[in-house]
Amino acid sequence: MRLALPALLALLPIAAPGAAQTATPAQQPVYELRIYYPAPGKAEALNARFRNHTLKLFAKHGMRNIAYWNELPRADAPDGRVVYVLAYPSRAAREADWKAFGADPEWQKVVAESEANGKIVTKVESIFMTMADYSPPLAALR
């Protein structure tokens, strides 16, 4: 039981937003909202890359997949955009995870294959967030 308690306590910043707010900024979990603009006609290829490869590779490199969405089409984004959220224990962990992910030979192969007929993304936006102390807790991932 003594070993289990520290392990459970280590999970509190991710499970309890109020607890996360008492941590110093370097200790707070960091959530990253990413928005991908697919190249014209490439939305399905982008979704296929996420579906078949990217989520598994993110998990392999310590990134926690929270949720993914496809934006409904609109005038300035007729194919919509892919929007998703990842979680990390800290901003430093995020930087290390992305560095390892980008250097992964399997990811490099996936990019080369998925972009053999041209780029599938024209723009990526990234927003970093911490959980507000009044936020409801995130539902556990399946």
Side-chain angles (χ1 to χ4, degrees):
M1 183 65 171
R2 282 189 188 177
L3 295 176
L5 185 57
L8 289 173
L9 291 175
L11 295 174
L12 283 178
I14 291 175
Q21 292 303 310
T22 61
T24 65
Q27 297 170 324
Q28 286 186 3
V30 172
Y31 298 88
E32 183 178 10
L33 172 71
R34 293 182 63 90
I35 304 168
Y36 282 54
Y37 294 73
K42 301 286 187 169
E44 184 47 43
L46 178 58
N47 278 296
R49 185 165 79 184
F50 275 106
R51 182 182 308 110
N52 300 327
H53 305 284
T54 310
L55 273 76
K56 290 177 246 174
L57 287 167
F58 281 168
K60 172 183 172 183
H61 290 286
M63 301 170 187
R64 185 170 167 222
N65 293 289
I66 301 297
Y68 290 76
W69 297 269
N70 286 294
E71 179 185 40
L72 296 175
R74 55 185 216 194
D76 62 334
D79 292 327
R81 298 175 294 183
V82 175
V83 179
Y84 66 99
V85 175
L86 297 172
Y88 317 89
S90 67
R91 185 68 185 259
R94 185 267 181 205
E95 301 307 321
D97 292 348
W98 274 94
K99 184 176 181 179
F101 170 77
D104 187 315
E106 185 178 353
W107 171 243
Q108 293 171 358
K109 180 181 177 196
V110 166
V111 170
E113 290 173 357
S114 64
E115 295 184 347
N117 294 319
K119 295 276 187 191
I120 62 174
V121 175
T122 61
K123 178 180 172 183
V124 177
E125 294 178 350
S126 190
I127 300 169
F128 296 97
M129 307 168 290
T130 57
M131 189 71 73
D133 62 352
Y134 50 83
S135 177
L138 292 173
L141 297 177
R142 295 181 252 244

